[in-house]
Amino acid sequence: MNRLPTKSKLTKYFPFTKKIGYKLTGSFLVAILFVLAVGLFFNLKMVQSNYSHLMNSEFQGILDAHEFAMKQYVTASETWSKHLADENELRGILSRSELSAANTEHFFMEHEVVFFESTFVNLLDNKGKVIYCSHQCEYLGNSFLGVELIRQVRRALTTKSAIVGDSDKFAFYAASPVFKKGSTTESIGFVIVGKIIDDNYLSNIQLGDDDIEMAIVRDRAVMASTIKIDGEPLIDIPLPYLEYLQLLKKTDAIIEITFSKQKYFVTAKNLVQMSGGMPGSILLLKPRKELESIESALFSQYMYLTLLSLVIIIVLGTVITRRLLSPVLNLTKASIEVASGKQGIRAEIQSNDEFAVLARNFNTMLVTIEEQHSFIQKQNESLEERVEERTQDLHLVMNDLKKLTVAVEKSPVGMVITDSMGIIEYVNPMFTELSGYSREQAVGETPRILQSAHTSEDKIKQLCQQVSQGHSWRGEFFNKTSHGQLLWHRVLITPITNEDGKISYYLGSIEDITEKKESEEKLIQQATFDTLTKLPNRFLAEYRLNQTLSAAQRDGKKGALLFLDLDNFKEVNDTLGHHAGDELLKRVAALLNNAVRKEDTVARLGGDEFLVILNHIQKREDAESVAGKIIKLVAQEPLIENCSIKVSASIGIAVFPDDATKTKKLMQKADTAMYVAKKQGKNRFSFFKDEDESTV
């Protein structure tokens, strides 16, 4: 009797990955890992959800507290402004034909006990002009009737308060009319009690967690904040503007952002009591590091639990394999030897249980088979092997053919097969869906039925030459369907050769990529053009300027760069609102396009700054002529209806390659020349000179 194979020989025929012991161990491992992974996932989600609820509660509490504090300050300001307006001494000051600075200072020194820290007082005459500021201000002598709050107080002759824009900051304003002595309907002026909302204000009233940073925001601009970047105040919101607008619409929403290499939770809320519908909001940020610490600790716990589970499962699997499955292993060894064609093999019997009975019956069966079928086996061995091989080959071919047919018919890609001359012999259902041609209409035709006027004959010739040489061709066509619809198709054509190496037919695939193409074109448009004026944005302007500079150096041509900034644009925005400012920018963009040639470029850099690239000028006077034309158009055209604000343009001109040959340097010099034009009185242009860099 032959001996059973050794362990190494058994492994050769029966790898450990197929052994039942290892399968059981592997199954337990997979099950445990799955349970642990699911547990970790749901625990993380639960922790994140609970933490989000806590964050929402904390943020809402702080927002409500800030709103309450602002209301309290506004109420207090109303009380003090009305108190000052009722003072007879103030009536006497405003009743005089000329304001006495000494009397005014003395009056407010006597009443300074009523003011909080950093509170200021402004006096207006009966026409709304600022005649006194208790602090240094830029608008002394200017009219305040452009402020909606002051207009309301002047019309209603009653005390009102709101948050308004003061220079480049927000401020609390409480305004009261000062009535003529003995009258309640005739005003002689107005008193304003206010406080600037700045970084110090936010730092002094900061509520809640010390980790929470806050900012007061107007559109994208940060008016005040406790956030510092490299020691400097934050000047712009740290998240995309569209996300910020969505955040304001949901009062209890919290999002996550990455800002200054750190993750934050963010929420925002519109400020109440804003003057004249002016947009304003408060923004809160808190670092995510606390939640990350909790997540890290939870993940570490699960990792330790996973490692412990792996060790336990491996130990148990080894014990089961060696002790419980030893008889099965012996039977397996014997069956492998028998299957390999050896005779005289017997299974070893090492137990007295059911496995022992199975092993004895197995040995008996082997003896019987060897005695009864030895002769027949020798006679029919050759025939049976040939029949079995042929049968298996036939089944494989039929299965492969069936799978291929189903795959082609159900393919999400259009498939077409032509003969060696390009005549269509077969199309799948997806081809008929993409092309609009039925199978009956397509068979017998050539793929040229899809060709549109957008495909050149040179491209078709190149395709035919490549595939006729036995190479595959891959590319894109703007094809036309049977209904006349134009679609983008990605096409792959592969030549199929016969046993002699000659091309017998071609296999083609067609995929509709129209939506992808349209998306790509839309993304390119959004990335390179200004959404308001439809002009090229800064990115495209710098690219075109760089191309123009390279062409000028190559061809020995000259050109000019005009840097344009609108005069008094901020006054239009502050007085008439951003809608009027936007309309002004669009009309200026149209004027600029009409003032230059088609080969020139007009771009908007941002705000009220525009760039004009003049190609191939003969002399400096050509640029001077265009600049003068633009200044005249901007100054004379009625850009805004019913507006007394004079809008003009200041232009700086840099000539290339004389002034610079690099994009960044040329833009800096044109910008410098523009500031020289502004210093010289605005509504004019100035060519760059070397001495300008030391004066600006």
Side-chain angles (χ1 to χ4, degrees):
M1 185 175 64
N2 295 333
R3 297 181 59 186
L4 291 177
T6 61
K7 183 176 181 181
S8 60
K9 190 174 181 181
L10 176 64
T11 303
K12 176 181 178 182
Y13 291 99
F14 204 69
F16 78 96
T17 54
K18 295 183 179 180
K19 294 181 180 179
I20 188 170
Y22 290 106
K23 288 184 177 180
L24 288 174
T25 303
S27 299
F28 283 127
L29 287 175
V30 171
I32 291 297
L33 291 176
F34 176 79
V35 172
L36 291 175
V38 171
L40 175 60
F41 174 81
F42 282 104
N43 272 283
L44 284 174
K45 288 298 181 182
M46 186 179 299
V47 168
Q48 292 170 354
S49 176
N50 292 336
Y51 194 86
S52 176
H53 287 305
L54 290 174
M55 281 300 307
N56 183 63
S57 177
E58 184 176 9
F59 276 168
Q60 291 305 314
I62 293 174
L63 290 173
D64 292 342
H66 272 286
E67 187 171 297
F68 178 78
M70 289 181 176
K71 288 181 178 179
Q72 291 294 103
Y73 193 91
V74 169
T75 301
S77 299
E78 289 181 0
T79 301
W80 293 123
S81 67
K82 193 171 187 312
H83 172 72
L84 293 174
D86 291 338
E87 289 291 328
N88 289 326
E89 187 176 353
L90 183 60
R91 291 192 181 98
I93 292 172
L94 291 174
S95 298
R96 297 184 180 94
S97 59
E98 293 186 4
L99 183 72
S100 172
N103 290 342
T104 305
E105 292 290 343
H106 181 266
F107 171 78
F108 285 114
M109 286 180 64
E110 288 183 343
H111 289 79
E112 81 174 328
V113 68
V114 305
F115 302 125
F116 300 122
E117 182 181 2
S118 302
T119 303
F120 62 85
V121 180
N122 294 338
L123 289 181
L124 312 181
D125 62 15
N126 200 34
K127 295 181 179 180
K129 184 175 71 175
V130 180
I131 58 176
Y132 172 80
C133 295
S134 66
H135 65 303
Q136 186 176 1
C137 65
E138 300 175 354
Y139 43 77
L140 188 64
N142 294 340
S143 173
F144 253 35
L145 293 182
V147 180
E148 177 63 21
L149 173 66
I150 304 305
R151 294 202 299 270
Q152 293 177 0
V153 173
R154 190 166 182 262
R155 286 196 302 266
L157 292 179
T158 184
T159 301
K160 291 183 179 294
S161 60
I163 299 174
V164 303
D166 189 306
S167 297
D168 61 343
K169 296 289 184 182
F170 280 149
F172 297 110
Y173 270 33
S176 296
V178 181
F179 294 106
K180 187 175 181 180
K181 188 173 181 179
S183 173
T184 59
T185 59
E186 185 178 359
S187 65
I188 58 175
F190 304 89
V191 60
I192 299 175
V193 176
K195 177 180 176 64
I196 297 295
I197 304 175
D198 55 13
D199 299 348
N200 293 331
Y201 167 79
L202 291 184
S203 299
N204 292 336
I205 69 166
Q206 187 170 11
L207 305 170
D209 195 337
D210 291 338
D211 286 340
I212 294 180
E213 304 286 356
M214 64 190 71
I216 301 297
V217 179
R218 176 182 180 181
D219 287 337
R220 292 193 61 89
V222 175
M223 313 297 283
S225 75
T226 61
I227 307 168
K228 305 289 184 182
I229 302 177
D230 297 329
E232 296 296 327
L234 183 68
I235 62 174
D236 201 354
I237 56 174
L239 70 160
Y241 189 57
L242 291 180
E243 291 187 20
Y244 173 67
L245 295 180
Q246 291 297 322
L247 193 61
L248 288 177
K249 292 181 180 179
K250 301 178 181 179
T251 56
D252 58 345
I254 296 177
I255 64 173
E256 293 184 32
I257 64 169
T258 300
F259 172 58
S260 194
K261 298 181 180 180
Q262 187 173 352
K263 292 183 178 180
Y264 287 87
F265 291 103
V266 180
T267 191
K269 184 178 182 180
N270 287 311
L271 290 174
V272 296
Q273 293 188 317
M274 296 300 298
S275 175
M278 179 184 298
S281 61
I282 182 168
L283 186 74
L284 299 183
L285 299 91
K286 180 173 181 178
R288 197 181 184 276
K289 57 187 179 182
E290 184 178 349
L291 178 57
E292 291 175 351
S293 176
I294 296 173
E295 291 174 341
S296 177
L298 184 61
F299 186 80
S300 297
Q301 292 175 3
Y302 270 85
M303 286 299 297
Y304 292 136
L305 182 60
T306 300
L307 290 175
L308 179 61
S309 300
L310 290 177
V311 172
I312 294 174
I313 294 299
I314 291 173
V315 172
L316 289 177
T318 303
V319 172
I320 292 173
T321 300
R322 290 184 178 180
R323 295 189 178 183
L324 300 181
L325 300 179
S326 179
V328 176
L329 182 61
N330 289 333
L331 284 172
T332 303
K333 292 177 181 179
S335 64
I336 291 174
E337 293 297 327
V338 171
S340 66
K342 292 185 178 181
Q343 297 185 357
I345 300 300
R346 301 294 183 268
E348 296 182 2
I349 302 173
Q350 298 178 347
S351 62
N352 297 319
D353 52 16
E354 294 89 342
F355 288 113
V357 176
L358 180 61
R360 283 194 292 269
N361 291 337
F362 180 77
N363 290 336
T364 302
M365 180 185 65
L366 291 178
V367 173
T368 303
I369 291 173
E370 291 172 359
E371 292 176 351
Q372 293 182 357
H373 298 285
S374 178
F375 178 76
I376 298 174
Q377 232 174 355
K378 290 179 181 179
Q379 295 293 325
N380 297 326
E381 183 177 7
S382 178
L383 178 61
E384 290 177 351
E385 288 178 354
R386 288 196 300 270
V387 172
E388 184 177 0
E389 289 176 358
R390 294 296 183 183
T391 303
Q392 290 178 352
D393 291 342
L394 182 59
H395 281 302
L396 290 174
V397 171
M398 294 299 293
N399 288 336
D400 290 344
L401 182 59
K402 183 177 180 181
K403 291 177 182 178
L404 179 60
T405 302
V406 173
V408 172
E409 286 292 314
K410 301 297 183 181
S411 173
V413 177
M415 303 294 294
V416 56
I417 300 175
T418 72
D419 61 15
S420 59
M421 302 302 294
I423 305 301
I424 297 175
E425 295 182 345
Y426 168 84
V427 293
N428 71 343
M430 182 53 70
F431 175 89
T432 64
E433 182 177 336
L434 293 176
S435 66
Y437 292 97
S438 66
R439 181 172 298 183
E440 292 75 14
Q441 291 174 322
V443 172
E445 299 289 341
T446 68
R448 280 180 174 266
I449 59 176
L450 299 178
Q451 184 178 344
S452 69
H454 298 275
T455 303
S456 66
E457 287 298 323
D458 290 339
K459 187 174 184 180
I460 298 297
K461 290 179 180 178
Q462 180 186 7
L463 181 157
C464 295
Q465 181 180 3
Q466 185 169 333
V467 297
S468 64
Q469 294 175 353
H471 305 296
S472 295
W473 185 91
R474 186 189 304 272
E476 297 175 356
F477 284 119
F478 199 33
N479 284 336
K480 182 174 68 174
T481 68
S482 64
H483 308 297
Q485 183 182 9
L486 291 173
L487 298 174
W488 277 102
H489 290 157
R490 181 183 288 121
V491 178
L492 172 63
I493 301 175
T494 303
I496 308 299
T497 58
N498 55 24
E499 296 178 354
D500 298 330
K502 295 182 179 180
I503 298 174
S504 56
Y505 56 92
Y506 295 96
L507 175 63
S509 64
I510 300 176
E511 183 180 0
D512 187 358
I513 58 170
T514 304
E515 291 186 2
K516 180 182 178 182
K517 282 284 188 180
E518 292 174 350
S519 298
E520 290 175 352
E521 292 177 0
K522 185 176 181 181
L523 288 175
I524 292 173
Q525 179 73 15
Q526 293 174 347
T528 55
F529 285 87
D530 177 48
T531 56
L532 177 65
T533 63
K534 309 306 179 184
L535 295 178
N537 60 14
R538 178 182 288 271
F539 173 80
L540 184 55
E542 291 181 355
Y543 173 79
R544 289 187 179 178
L545 180 57
N546 187 52
Q547 297 296 105
T548 302
L549 288 174
S550 298
Q553 288 180 318
R554 183 179 63 251
D555 302 334
K557 302 289 186 178
K558 283 190 176 184
L561 179 66
L562 279 60
F563 198 109
L564 182 147
D565 184 90
L566 296 179
D567 305 322
N568 302 323
F569 177 73
K570 182 177 184 300
E571 187 176 353
V572 173
N573 262 349
D574 293 343
T575 304
L576 302 179
H578 285 279
H579 177 73
D582 290 345
E583 289 299 319
L584 172 61
L585 291 174
K586 288 192 285 187
R587 294 186 181 182
V588 170
L591 288 178
L592 293 178
N593 271 328
N594 293 331
V596 299
R597 301 166 298 180
K598 289 184 178 180
E599 61 266 26
D600 299 327
T601 295
V602 178
R604 182 189 177 202
L605 299 182
D608 59 341
E609 294 181 341
F610 295 85
L611 206 66
V612 179
I613 305 171
L614 300 179
N615 296 310
H616 300 164
I617 64 172
Q618 300 297 324
K619 51 189 180 300
R620 293 166 64 93
E621 286 75 8
D622 295 339
E624 181 178 337
S625 174
V626 174
K629 181 180 179 181
I630 292 173
I631 289 175
K632 183 177 180 181
L633 287 173
V634 174
Q636 292 182 354
E637 287 286 338
L639 300 176
I640 306 178
E641 296 180 359
N642 302 323
C643 177
S644 61
I645 300 172
K646 183 64 175 178
V647 178
S648 58
S650 296
I651 301 176
I653 307 173
V655 179
F656 56 86
D658 298 348
D659 293 329
T661 59
K662 300 296 183 182
T663 299
K664 184 175 181 181
K665 193 66 176 177
L666 189 65
M667 290 181 67
Q668 290 176 350
K669 291 187 175 182
D671 188 27
T672 299
M674 183 273 292
Y675 278 105
V676 170
K678 279 191 176 289
K679 289 181 65 177
Q680 292 175 349
K682 302 179 180 179
N683 193 27
R684 64 191 61 214
F685 62 84
S686 174
F687 282 91
F688 173 79
K689 298 181 287 296
D690 291 336
E691 57 267 23
D692 292 344
E693 293 183 326
S694 61
T695 60
V696 176

